[in-house]
Structures are given as structure tokens and as C-alpha cells.
Amino acid sequence: MSAADFANPFLFHGFPMFFASDNWAGAHKSIAERLLTESTGFAAAYGAGDLDRKVEARFSEIFEREVSIFFVATGTAANSLSLASVQRPGGITFCHSEAHVIEDECGAPEFFSGAARLVAVDGEAGKIDPAKLSAKIASFPEDAVHHGRASAVTITQATEIGTVYSLPEIGEIAAISRQRNLPLHMDGARFANALVALGATPAEMTWKRGVDMLSFGGTKNGCWCAEAMVFFNPDQAREMPFIRKRAAQLFSKSRFIAAQFDAYFENGLWLDLARHSNGMADRLRAGIATSNSARLAWPTASNEVFAVVSKSAAKIAEEKGAKFYAWPIPAAMPELVSESETLIRLVTSFATTEADVDGFLKCLAA
Amino acid sequence: MSAADFANPFLFHGFPMFFASDNWAGAHKSIAERLLTESTGFAAAYGAGDLDRKVEARFSEIFEREVSIFFVATGTAANSLSLASVQRPGGITFCHSEAHVIEDECGAPEFFSGAARLVAVDGEAGKIDPAKLSAKIASFPEDAVHHGRASAVTITQATEIGTVYSLPEIGEIAAISRQRNLPLHMDGARFANALVALGATPAEMTWKRGVDMLSFGGTKNGCWCAEAMVFFNPDQAREMPFIRKRAAQLFSKSRFIAAQFDAYFENGLWLDLARHSNGMADRLRAGIATSNSARLAWPTASNEVFAVVSKSAAKIAEEKGAKFYAWPIPAAMPELVSESETLIRLVTSFATTEADVDGFLKCLAA
Amino acid sequence: MSAADFANPFLFHGFPMFFASDNWAGAHKSIAERLLTESTGFAAAYGAGDLDRKVEARFSEIFEREVSIFFVATGTAANSLSLASVQRPGGITFCHSEAHVIEDECGAPEFFSGAARLVAVDGEAGKIDPAKLSAKIASFPEDAVHHGRASAVTITQATEIGTVYSLPEIGEIAAISRQRNLPLHMDGARFANALVALGATPAEMTWKRGVDMLSFGGTKNGCWCAEAMVFFNPDQAREMPFIRKRAAQLFSKSRFIAAQFDAYFENGLWLDLARHSNGMADRLRAGIATSNSARLAWPTASNEVFAVVSKSAAKIAEEKGAKFYAWPIPAAMPELVSESETLIRLVTSFATTEADVDGFLKCLAA
Amino acid sequence: MSAADFANPFLFHGFPMFFASDNWAGAHKSIAERLLTESTGFAAAYGAGDLDRKVEARFSEIFEREVSIFFVATGTAANSLSLASVQRPGGITFCHSEAHVIEDECGAPEFFSGAARLVAVDGEAGKIDPAKLSAKIASFPEDAVHHGRASAVTITQATEIGTVYSLPEIGEIAAISRQRNLPLHMDGARFANALVALGATPAEMTWKRGVDMLSFGGTKNGCWCAEAMVFFNPDQAREMPFIRKRAAQLFSKSRFIAAQFDAYFENGLWLDLARHSNGMADRLRAGIATSNSARLAWPTASNEVFAVVSKSAAKIAEEKGAKFYAWPIPAAMPELVSESETLIRLVTSFATTEADVDGFLKCLAA
């Protein structure tokens, strides 16, 4: 491919190559259309309408048991309020050291929990190391009033760095949590991507492996704004209506969330979108694996790809309009990147096309 | 009108008569369509996109000065975070005794403000009495550490009971607030309804009369979910990005709010919708004023009507499918309602039709 | 008595006439001496020492059942943390409209409770009116998520205006609280004064009448700093060690509180001090009742006296060195005070002498 | 020394050997006597009395500039409220990874700060490494709303592990803090011990080196309960009266704190007590340095000594009545302790005697 190729507008026009984040995409057409259809008519506000009921029942079907569902505005809200609902005074929540809750939520989990602290646990591949979790929990004896009190564990599925906990890995974290009666929360901002990566059912990836609460994200996978807290034991959600309202997260026209989920679940759309998104990441991974100017930084299994790219290739891609973020070098991998390279994150979405991927790969090959 | 008339499905079919609340309506077609149009393409997340910028600029035009805009998920969030941004330790916010912030937000304004207290001030017609406000503020001397500290004043426009502060009334409240340097906040959940009721401009009804912060509500007037905080002095909003993010109110796909506002403002749609809604309330008021089985409980000027209705008429209306809420008898008007009567609230919206109103009035005439 | 008499330094020298508050006194000699005695030797910190254990056992004896005891630094802390321990999200605590928790604690009860709101209930003589309490609680239906949620009731014994709930009155408040499962807290900043005024036992004035939690104050009655939370059901105090530590209220040298309580309880010193204090108030009341320049504003039964005094007599008293506070005219008694009069509060303490009282009464007689 | 020696009650009777913590001691005689002297008479409550004023002025003299002083009940309160006073929404406070604020205060610093987070910075000898501090601060860019916002830095002097920041070291931390306008707080729970260890003046060890706020502890050094917040720029303390009152930390009989400080400062008692305490630690260090069954774990300079002791010697000491705590092996020194050894902490106080020290050293020599 010659420099002239890059100047050819035909080649790149229409290839947005937006890999900055899956939340740079808009909404899937079916979901936006459903909002249009639903916009007429009247319905009880604040989650009391028929469509809210229908979607709640749909969640119970999907998870193969009766669950309690609470819509909220953001993934940060879902994480924060879930964790808040199980906190105790002086509480401690254990999370991975790179988790979204501790890195990217501006203290919201602590704010909503009466200042319960997040304690970071290390682990390879973005996943909590079970032995380190055990040791960290043990450093907070039950009655040590000065240290604070172990109160919850949270994992992210898929993780912040594109990896996925296997079902046994989830079970192992859950078993450790259970020993101290710590509720286990899953941040599922990319739940569907992890699910199709594992080929598991929603039940298998959650309560059947010991997860108590789930932040179920739809926004990153094709909705405009659709996040739900899922409680697998409805008894544990009794305080939540008040926690949510006090947190200013109770929508008046709640059915605008319900309508999105209704379309999202219809005919398995949500899984199709995740499969597409993961497939586009596969295509990226395959292309990068064979590239001369880039290599995969570590294996990933969902819709995120981390690549070490030559600075010159990265520059070309940016000039051609590709959008992506540079990523900090992990403390555990100081040798990952040479002087002439850079570490970048590429995220695919329901809206990513083969042309986007191929356009980006062409930049690497330039 | 005979009993047979009520059995006639033709008469009532298609007359939803939903007067429970303006948030029982869905979204205006233009707004839902805009969400569909906007759903394609990519844009920077978290409010950094072009459409966000465009809508922010539109707000500045509408208010005739540079303003700072922050989208949030609910009116409760807009009120709570606005007030939180000006609180001081031990802070006190003065509000009307029937205000939404103190009656219907489950403590959210206090929660987000480090437990700043709401202190109720009485006043007729749902409006803060200026003399009582002065006296109440005076009961919190500046350095009286035990009592807490006057920190803000909030008014609701239109009020919870359908009345509207006149421009001089707003100015009077603002003047009192200024004497103690208390920021003045306006809860504008029904801002547009008040605006067209007064025939004022947005600037006149706010900063030109001394309002510092506004909760600008679009949801009740035809949006799915569109609430914004407006700061008339951008310097005072410097902490807000962090307050909002910590409150889990920063949308990733922020443009789904921006798109709604964009359509809402286009060609004055927002004012048209409010005029329609107020007009439907006028029609209700006119009908009730001449009814034998109902009368207006007090004068209102926006899209809310409060009526004292004979219990038998209310029963007929409910049987015919009308939706409305019984309203508690105001403490100041114990004689308002006789044994055989009930006090009800009727709220019109952009989606209310003349047929709805006339259907309801027919019930009263039965 | 002539003007010359007032100029006679002999008459007033040594009559401090300090009636501003019982916390203007220092500490009783026995208590200060015990602190000196205890100052030698070593003991486990943070409440784990033998003396802490001894005093806790003493509390159980005094209250005739096993209680859980937590020392804190201030009465505000005792009230706030007790109420915090029973709050739920969106919680509401009902208190009298003139209670210390709502008037004089700068929002601390809300701050420690995750912003739970205090709702004022009126009632004559500084005491919650049971019918009004019932009505106010009823205005917060159990599942009304918008309004907040009834969570606790608190009464003050003796009240802020010197009155005392009778045992049946306490029982009546408790019965109403029990109907909604609301824990009943008693602010006992002047517990001993109320106790001797009623001639009741500690058990009779608390748990036997349905009180669940008590702020037991020693500071106003002769200690330097001795406040304790008393939980009559230790199971309900399980979170308190963490609530207290997180609130920065766990003393390292906890025995300096224990030592004060140890001396306070020895040989019934605490009751003797309260009897003395109440007796000095009786003496004041008797003198004022026969005064030409003053009268009792309302009947009181503890160590607080409220008097309507001619402004000229008040001025003389102040010139002679008497210390007392003017008191705001109660809203319910607008006619209480004429133009030429003023309402004052007089508080006696363990350190008040007959000479102080008589000196003050002489001022009134001048 | 033979086993018979240990059975000799003469040898150990009267040698309490209490090295568990300096807060296991009581109060110095002069301080307890001052409380007795001060117990008579009346004084304005809540810190408005003459003695409060006198002590505040004394603080200004000691620190060679006008300072603002606020008494509180505990060191945890002093740390938490100081840091709360400078927090911003989403705030981050940087502290050493072993600091008291993050290890032993049950989340109080976060609780009082609206959930501002503590971020640990490593460093040898219990002291923040300046380069690591710079790097950590840099990881929170000023406007990165997702990460939270650098808001304060706190150091402990003397540190938790008995070391002392030199004056240049304090200045270096301050310079880094200043670059981002982060207020620098010093936890001075053992301020006097550090001061005499350095031979510095109070001014030199604080504001002259860039410290903005100090938690000045008296409790561990001979008071019953005397902790004060010191603000070197009184303007920065304007919110503190309300922060403290809302935190339930405003004592009514504030002069009981003032009296302790008054005696504490008289004739340099506070420095004498710290010198004695440090001297006893020197004696311990000297003895351990020459012991066959123990060695110093690391150099310390205040009243704390960390020793690696043979398990047999530790057992003998415990059997003889010595009180001390085992200490966790520092992560950075995994090889510190062999199988047959244990790491212990020994803390001396104003009340430690040479006999205590020598008795303990005899145990090691047994």
C-alpha cells in the first residue's frame, strides 16, 4: 500500500474507524425505533407501568429465576448503588486494582456507601487473584474496629482489559467471598460480550456460580441508556427502592428504559450485537497478530483489543481518522513497550464494520 | 346525559383522560424521531461531542448570556446537585413547605449536600411568603454554630400546586436572598409551562430577576428524559463536573440527551408544547368553573388544575377510565372540602387532547 | 432594698449567679479527684480496660438489665450515633419542634445518618403531642418511596424548656412508635434531673416504658465530659463499634470517661447532684412566683426555669453580674411578654448555691 | 540470670513493663491536678471561656505566628476534620501506605470528607517517597473527571513505625504538594516526640517547611484527652467551626481540654515528657542492640522501638507481665524475621520508668 492509497478518499471515506470506546456508538436501529413506537400513549410513571413489568419478567426468564430489577442512568450508578446496598459502617469492598469502580468512577462507589472504602487486589490479566483476595480479606479480621470491615467483593466481566473470567474462576472468587459472608457483585458493563465469549448462559455466569448482584449494562452494546441492577435474591433488594430514589436515579418516564431493554432482548438481539462486536475484535486481533508494525499486548476475549503499535503506524492511523486511546503501561509489564512503540486500546461495538477494521489494519500495514 | 351514554364505548373510546401526571405521557414524536436520526454515527462520549456543544450553545442563546449546562437523569438530580454545589457545612436551604425537594425527593437534596437541611417556609398559593422567608433566614444568624447556616434558597416555577411566581415576586425573593448572599435556585420541572403562562422570556424569568441556578426540565413537557442544570454564572459551576460524576449522573452517550433538547428547542417546539398543555388546562378550568359537581380549589396558571369534585362525579370519572390523583387537603384550607366532596389534581401535558378534556368534563356533568 | 445595697460589693461578691447553662459549671470535686487518682497506672486503651468493664456493669445494674454502653465525647454525638444506628435509606426521625437535635446540633444527626431527615412534631410544654405524632407518621406510608420512610422517634427528657414527660406520656409515645416498628430514642442530656423530678427509677423511665436507646448525659450534671449511649437491647448495638469509630468518637484513654462515671455513680452522687440542682430551681421558682417584677413563663419541673421579667429588673441583674440567656418567645404564646418585659432562661447546676439564687432574687426585688 | 530470678517477685513487682502503647498510660500528675483546680468556678461553654482564649494564644506563641485552634476528642477526629476542610468533590488525599489515617481509622477520614479517597504512596522507613508522591499525583490530571481529583497530602510525624521526617524531607514533600496547590497536613499524634528527636522548634517542623494544617496530639504524651487542630493560615479555617460542630466534636465544657493543654505547656512540661519518653526508648534501643536474643528491626528516633526478638525471649517477657504487640512483617522486608523469631513493637511513654525498661531487657537476657 502506497502513500497515494492513503490520500485516496475513497479508501477511507465511510470507514469511521472509531475504536475509542463502545460508548462512542449511538443506538441500534431496533432500539431507537422502539423508543419511537413507545412514545405514544400513557403509562404509569416511576416504573409502575405495564412495560416495566414485562421487562422485569423478561429478566427473570433470561436468568432462570425470579430476580429484582432496578433501572438506573449509568453503569456507575448500578455499581455504586448495588455495593451501597450491602455496605456496613466502616465497610470495605474488594476489587481488582484496575477495576472501573476504583479507577473511573470519581469516588461514586464510596460516596453512595457512606464512605465505604475500595481496597485493591492485584491479579494477572485484569482478574482478581484468588489467593491474594483471601490474604487481603484476612487482613481485615471481623472485629478489628480500627481497620474497617470486609463487606463486599466485586468483579468485572468482561474486565477492563478485555479478558473474561472463566466460570470456574468466578466460582472460586465466590467461594472465598462466601467464607466471610461477603456478597459478590459483578460489574457487567460488557456482560453480553463476556457471555458470548464464554458461550455460557446468563444464569451460569452469575448466580449459579455464586454472584449475588449484577450491574447489567445495555448502553455499551447498542442501547442509548439502559442499565439495570439485578438482584438474584429479591430479599436482599428491599432497601433498594429507597436507595435508588435517594440517589436521584428513579426515572419518571421509566418506560423509556424498559422500551430499550424490550427491544434489546427481542429475538436475542442483545446476543447478536455482542457476537458482532466480539467478531469485529477477533478480526482486529487476527490482523494485528500478523502485522509487522503491531502485536497484541495480551490475549483478550471480548470486544477490547490491546495492541503494541509502532508509533509511526499509530500516527498514520490517527491521520487517517482512526480514533483510539493510548493506554498506560501496566505496572506489572514494564518491558512491554519499546521506545518506538505505543500501547493502545481498540474497542469494537455493534456499529463497527468490517470496513472499519480493515481500514485500520491497512494503516498498520502502510 | 344518561347512564346509557356512559356505556356507549364510542363516547369514551380513545379518550384516555390521563390526568395523573404529565410524566405519564411518552415523548413527542419530533423528539423520538430525533433520537432515531441521531442513533447512527459515532461521537465522543461523556458530553464531549459536537451535538453536546451545539445544545449548550443553544441554551446560551435562549438565556441571552453564557451559561454552564449539565445534563442529568432526573429532576431530583438537577435540584439536588445544584443545591449541593453551593452548600456549606451545616448548611440550610430554604424552600416552600410544599416544595418537591422537601416532599417528594426522598431526602436526595440532603443526601447529596453532606446532609444540609431543608427548612420549610410557608406561603399562600404554593409560593414562599417573602416576609416569612426573611424571618426564617434571620433565625439563623451567620455565626450561630449550633443552629446551622443559611446557605441557599430554592423556589419552584411553576409551583407544585399549579401557581406561578410573577416576575416581581421572583425579584423579591432574590433580593432577600442577596442580603445574606444566599444563591437562589429555581426548580423548573415545569419551566416552560410557567414561562408561557407569564409570557416572559427565559432570561426575564431567571437571571434578570436574580436567579443563580436553574433545574431546567424537559421530561414533563415532551421529552423522554431531558433534564439540565443551568448555571448563570459559569464560575459558580466549577465543581460541578466532579459533583455530577461522583453522583453517577454523567451519561456516557450524553448525546441521547442532547438530541432530545436539540429537537425540543427547534422552531420553538418546547414553547408550543407548553402552550398546548396550558391551553388544555384552561379548557379544564373553564369547564370546571361552570360545573355543578365541581369547582376550582384555587386559581392556577400552568398545566395543573386542582378541583373540588363531588365524590359521585369523581367515581363516575374513574369508572370511565379517567386517571387522576386525590390530593391532600392543605392545612391552611381545612374547610375547603365537604363530606360529599374530594380534592383532586388534574395535570395536562403535550399529549392531552380536547377530547380527553371534554370526556372528563362530561363525567362531571353526568 | 435600696440602690446603695446594690453598690455594696459584699452583698454580691462571691455570688456568681451563673444561670446561663449547666455546662458553664466545672466538674464536681469527687469526679475531678477520681480523674487524679486514676491518672497513674496503665490500662488497655480503646475501652478494653478493667475500669471500662466495671462501669459498663454498673450501668447494667442501674438499669436492671443487661445494656450495651458506648462512651462518646458529646451529647450531640450520643444523639446522632444512636439515631444513625437505626436509620434506613431515606429515613425520617420524628422529634419535637424545639428539640435539641433539630435546633442546636448543626445538622449532626442528619450528617451521621446518611442524611436522614428530622421531621418536627408540635406539642405543648415542649413535649411531642401523641395525636400529632400519629398523624405525622401516617403521612409517611411504608412504601411511599418519594416521601421518605419513617425510621425513628426521639424525645428529650427533661425537655429543652424544663418540662418532664410523665411515665404514662413516655409509654404513649412508645406505643405509637411500636405500631410502625420505629425505635424510640431518649435524649437524656438532663436524664438525672428528670429522674429525680419524677421520683422514678432509671428502668421505669426508659425500657419499661418502651424506650430502646438512651443518650445518657453526665456532663451537665457534674462531670467534665461523660456521655454514653445506652442500648437496652444489645443486639441492636452490633453495628455501633464501627459507627462510633468511623465517627471519630472512640477515645484511646477511654478510662478517663469511665473514671468520671465511676465517681458519678458512687453512693448515688449523680442523684444527689440532680436533686441539688432541681432544688435550686425550686428555690428560684418559688422566689419568682412571689416577685413583683417577674413571673414564671410556664411550669417547669427540672433544673430549668423560664421567667418573664421586667426589662428593668433584668438589666439590674445583668449589671450585678448575673448570667442568663434571653429566650425566643414561643410561637404558640405570642402574648406571653409585654413591651416592658423579656423572657429569660435560668439554669441551675450542681454548683449553684442558695446565695446565687437569693442574690438573683434580690435583683428582681430591687 | 537464673530461672529463680524470674520467680523473685521483688525483681518484677512494680515493673509494669507496659509497652503496648503510649495510650495505655494515664495522665501526668500536673495535668490531672490542673483539671482538679479548674473544676470549680464557672466559664462560658463551647470554647468561649477565658481559659480557651489563653490556651489559643499560647499555641500562637509556641508556633510563632497567629494560628487557629480547634479542640477535638480524638486524633482520628483531628485528622479527619482537617482533611475534610480542604476536600473537593471526588477528592483524593495522598498518604503513606502505612499511615494511621488509612490503616487505623475505620474510614473516618473518608466519612467526614464526603467520601474523598485516600490513596497510598509507598516509601521506605514509613515515610512517603517524594518521587513516588510526584508520580502518583501526576496520575490524577487536574480535569480528569473519572479518576477523581488530587486534593491534599498528609504525612505523619513521628511516623507509625517510629521514624521521623527530617526538616528537609518535610520541605520536599511540601514543595511537591505546592506544585499542585495541595494543602499539606501533618498528623502529629506524636508531635512532641518528633520535635525533641529533631531538636527543632514547632515552627520549623511545620509552617516554616510548608505544612498547612497540623493534628496536634497531647493525649499520647501525658494528657487524658487533648487533641487540637492547628491551622497556620486562619483564613483556611473559616468553615471549621461548622465542620466541627456538625461532626459532634464541639465540647460544651471545652475548658476541660484547655486546662490540660495549659498544664501541658507550662514550663515546657510537654517537651520534658517527650524527652523522657524518647529517652526510655533510647535505653530500650541500647539494650536491644547488645542483646543476644533480640535486635532492632530498623532504626527509630522517637518513642517507638521495633525489635526482632526470639520467640522464647518474647514468651518469657510476656510471662513476666510485659505488654507489647506483635507487629506484621513489612511487605518490603520479607526476610526480616526467621522462624524462631517474632517482630514486636515497644512504645514508651511519659510514665515509663528505667525499671520497666531494665526489667524488659532482663527478660531478653534470660
Side-chain angles (χ1 to χ4, degrees), chain B residues 102 106 110 117 146-147, chain C residues 102-103 106 110 117 146-147:
Chain B
I102 199 168
C106 195
E110 295 100 319
R117 187 180 292 166
H146 301 275
H147 299 343
Chain C
I102 200 168
E103 286 285 310
C106 195
E110 294 100 319
R117 186 180 292 166
H146 301 274
H147 299 343

Side-chain angles (χ1 to χ4, degrees), chain B residues 62-127:
Chain B
I62 286 170
F63 283 98
E64 302 174 41
R65 69 180 289 166
E66 193 195 341
V67 297
S68 280
I69 299 297
F70 299 88
F71 302 149
V72 289
T74 64
T76 295
N79 291 337
S80 299
L81 301 190
S82 296
L83 292 171
S85 74
V86 295
Q87 289 303 317
R88 302 184 293 171
I92 304 284
T93 295
F94 301 91
C95 65
H96 189 267
S97 45
E98 299 167 51
H100 199 267
V101 287
I102 199 168
E103 286 285 309
D104 288 299
E105 301 190 348
C106 195
E110 295 100 319
F111 181 74
F112 285 102
S113 297
R117 187 180 292 166
L118 293 166
V119 165
V121 181
D122 290 332
E124 293 192 1
K127 296 186 265 188

